[in-house]
């Protein structure tokens, strides 16, 4: 399926594609096709103009099933363990602790809280557990190897309409009644992938173009119309960790990503930002720009690195804190434990070269088959039968 244009103004996403072609990048209608390199419109997980979340796509249609119970306002405090076998979870619900037991525990709390729950339960590095006076049940490198996508933004002001001013009664009506218009924007509507140097097996930088000003990596106040493009480091060589600060289950974990800590990562980001600057200077984007709002002070490495330090942000793609081969096996079972699996983005051993939403859904699809004991062949047969029904 080709990429989808969500209906923004020309400034930003559409002009970005034209400017990128002027800068020598290739057009690409499908980043999930034979080639990832090039620029174009991003595919989206939308339905009727709105984001189609995993809850909307998978949970809501089956919420009435008699074998499904959804508990809300419940915070899991720890796993219930009998030796190294998981038999359930303890949860704080309405200020009262309760136990929920089952035949197998599936931990799907995400790349920050899945390791936190494991650590609170005594599964993890002995040194980290000892610091919090938690008896160790099983030694595993839980929380280690955390990775995330970091992106650095450059911004320009414009006289063209941007997402800053699109929340009008007319546009709200288009969204609500027809599922179209500028409010269907997925923010990073267009973008692409490129290689910063020869000899790479795949792109190392992802580009994003958005139809709104994005000062200081999104931390600054947006006062005027503008557009922004970013360079995202796809496969960082550095990593960080998730640790617990306290035995209190509701305390936030300590999260350190270690963005751009290696020379290789800094060099790749510098090259990616430099490429963004080249694209921004092409006629297609200059035609819809007033002036630079937030760009490096110069084209030298030091100036670009200083800009990276002030204008970078996460893309909310944390992975690898319960990595396959380190914490879980190929069937997502926690190594050395029984009755326990982790099913979320934390099991990815490294970052994928792109966004993590769809890959995480596919991990869950595969996990569902593994939990049910279905082979790829039987799953394919079941899918064909369902389609024919």
């Amino acid at each position: 399926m080709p990429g989808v244009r969500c209906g923004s103004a020309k400034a930003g996403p559409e002009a970005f594609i034209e400017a990128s072609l002027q800068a020598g990048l290739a057009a690409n209608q499908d980043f999930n096709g034979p080639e990832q390199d090039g620029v174009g419109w991003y595919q989206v997980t939308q339905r009727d103009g709105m984001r189609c979340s995993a809850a909307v796509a998978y949970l809501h249609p089956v919420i009435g099933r008699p074998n499904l119970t959804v508990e809300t306002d419940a915070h899991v405090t720890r796993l219930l363990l009998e030796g190294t076998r998981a038999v359930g979870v303890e949860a704080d619900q309405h200020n009262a602790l309760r136990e929920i037991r089952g035949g197998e525990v599936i931990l799907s709390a995400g790349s920050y809280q899945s390791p936190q729950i494991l650590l609170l339960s005594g599964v993890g590095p002995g040194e980290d557990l000892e610091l919090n006076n938690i008896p160790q049940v099983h030694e595993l490198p839980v929380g280690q190897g955390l990775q995330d996508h970091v992106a650095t933004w450059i911004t320009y002001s414009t006289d063209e309409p941007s997402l800053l001013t699109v929340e009008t009664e007319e546009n709200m009506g288009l969204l609500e009644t027809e599922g179209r218009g500028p409010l269907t924007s997925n923010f990073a509507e267009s973008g692409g992938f490129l290689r910063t140097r020869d000899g790479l097996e795949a792109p190392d930088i992802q580009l994003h173009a958005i139809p709104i000003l994005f000062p200081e990596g999104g931390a600054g106040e947006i006062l005027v119309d503008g557009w922004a493009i970013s360079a995202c480091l796809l496969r960082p060589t550095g990593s960080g960790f998730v640790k617990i600060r306290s035995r209190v289950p509701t305390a936030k974990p300590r999260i350190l990503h270690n963005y751009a800590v290696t020379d290789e990562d800094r060099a790749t980001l510098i090259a990616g930002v430099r490429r963004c600057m080249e694209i921004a200077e092409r006629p297609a984007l200059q035609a819809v720009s007033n002036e630079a709002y937030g760009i490096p002070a110069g084209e030298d490495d030091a100036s670009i690195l200083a800009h990276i330090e002030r204008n970078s942000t996460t893309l909310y793609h944390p992975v690898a804190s319960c990595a396959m081969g380190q914490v879980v096996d190929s069937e997502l079972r926690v190594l050395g434990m029984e009755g326990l699996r982790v099913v979320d983005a934390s099991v990815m051993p490294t970052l994928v070269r792109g966004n993590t939403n769809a890959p995480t859904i596919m991990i869950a699809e595969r996990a569902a088959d593994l939990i049910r004991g279905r082979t790829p062949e039987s799953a394919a047969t079941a899918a064909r039968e369902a389609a024919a029904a």
Side-chain angles (χ1 to χ4, degrees):
M1 181 182 74
V4 177
R5 181 181 177 185
C6 295
S8 71
K10 182 181 177 65
E14 183 175 342
F16 163 81
I17 294 176
E18 297 177 19
S20 297
L21 297 178
Q22 292 168 352
L25 296 178
N28 191 337
Q29 292 190 337
D30 185 0
F31 299 126
N32 298 303
E35 300 292 338
Q36 190 179 28
D37 301 74
V39 295
W41 298 103
Y42 279 122
Q43 297 177 22
V44 295
T45 46
Q46 285 189 351
R47 181 182 294 168
D48 299 325
M50 300 290 288
R51 182 177 178 88
C52 185
S53 68
V56 169
Y58 292 88
L59 180 60
H60 295 177
V62 301
I63 198 70
R65 286 184 178 177
N67 63 344
L68 172 65
T69 301
V70 178
E71 299 277 0
T72 59
D73 299 315
H75 187 100
V76 172
T77 59
R78 63 184 177 94
L79 300 171
L80 298 177
L81 301 176
E82 294 179 356
T84 56
R85 173 179 287 276
V87 296
V89 298
E90 180 187 78
D92 184 346
Q93 189 171 34
H94 308 303
N95 295 319
L97 291 178
R98 58 173 296 200
E99 293 185 354
I100 304 170
R101 292 176 177 262
E104 185 175 24
V105 176
I106 313 300
L107 186 54
S108 298
S111 291
Y112 299 143
Q113 288 188 290
S114 282
Q116 182 182 23
I117 292 170
L118 287 170
L119 291 165
L120 288 169
S121 307
V123 181
E127 183 178 351
D128 293 346
L129 297 173
E130 185 179 357
L131 287 173
N132 290 279
N133 295 316
I134 296 175
Q136 187 183 45
V137 174
H138 185 52
E139 174 79 27
L140 281 175
V142 171
Q144 303 301 305
L146 177 70
Q147 291 192 321
D148 187 21
H149 282 142
V150 62
T152 302
W153 297 85
I154 63 171
T155 59
Y156 283 72
S157 63
T158 181
D159 287 331
E160 300 283 334
S162 74
L163 291 180
L164 176 65
T165 51
V166 297
E167 196 173 343
T168 65
E169 185 174 340
E170 178 184 3
N171 287 334
M172 287 293 293
L174 282 175
L175 175 66
E176 293 171 354
T177 62
E178 302 180 35
R180 64 183 183 90
L183 289 177
T184 65
S185 175
N186 62 302
F187 193 57
E189 297 179 19
S190 68
F193 298 84
L194 60 82
R195 309 180 197 209
T196 60
R197 62 186 187 275
D198 295 334
L200 295 176
E201 62 178 3
D204 57 346
I205 286 289
Q206 182 176 3
L207 303 172
H208 302 84
I210 61 174
I212 192 169
L213 203 68
F214 206 62
E216 298 178 34
E221 188 175 6
I222 303 173
L223 300 174
V224 298
D225 286 312
W227 57 264
I229 56 178
S230 75
C232 166
L233 180 65
L234 285 175
R235 293 294 294 270
T237 57
S239 65
F241 57 76
V242 178
K243 297 185 179 183
I244 53 174
R245 298 177 184 272
S246 167
R247 295 180 64 177
V248 178
T250 54
K252 303 303 181 185
R254 183 184 177 198
I255 301 167
L256 181 65
H257 288 101
N258 278 329
Y259 295 125
V261 293
T262 68
D263 291 340
E264 182 178 345
D265 287 353
R266 288 193 290 272
T268 300
L269 261 181
I270 289 170
V273 172
R274 184 173 283 120
R275 202 74 169 102
C276 288
M277 295 166 63
E278 294 171 359
I279 293 168
E281 292 300 317
R282 291 301 186 268
L285 275 171
Q286 286 298 299
V288 296
S289 302
N290 284 339
E291 59 183 2
Y293 193 94
I295 65 171
E299 297 182 4
D300 58 288
D301 286 1
S303 296
I304 296 175
L305 185 59
H307 181 84
I308 289 170
E309 292 171 350
R310 289 284 300 173
N311 295 274
S312 297
T313 183
T314 174
L315 288 187
Y316 309 99
H317 296 164
V319 305
S321 54
C322 297
M324 189 180 299
Q326 298 292 319
V327 176
V328 300
D329 66 13
S330 61
E331 295 192 0
L332 308 184
R333 297 170 298 201
V334 176
L335 296 167
M337 303 287 291
E338 297 178 83
L340 179 61
R341 298 185 205 242
V342 179
V343 181
D344 54 38
S346 71
V347 305
M348 296 184 192
T350 58
L351 273 164
V352 294
R353 296 182 191 271
N355 294 27
T356 53
N357 180 55
T360 303
I361 291 173
M362 293 303 98
I363 288 171
E365 288 267 16
R366 177 63 177 139
D369 287 340
L370 292 169
I371 293 164
R372 297 174 67 184
R374 298 171 71 180
T375 65
E377 292 76 16
S378 65
T381 300
R384 287 193 296 269
E385 291 173 350

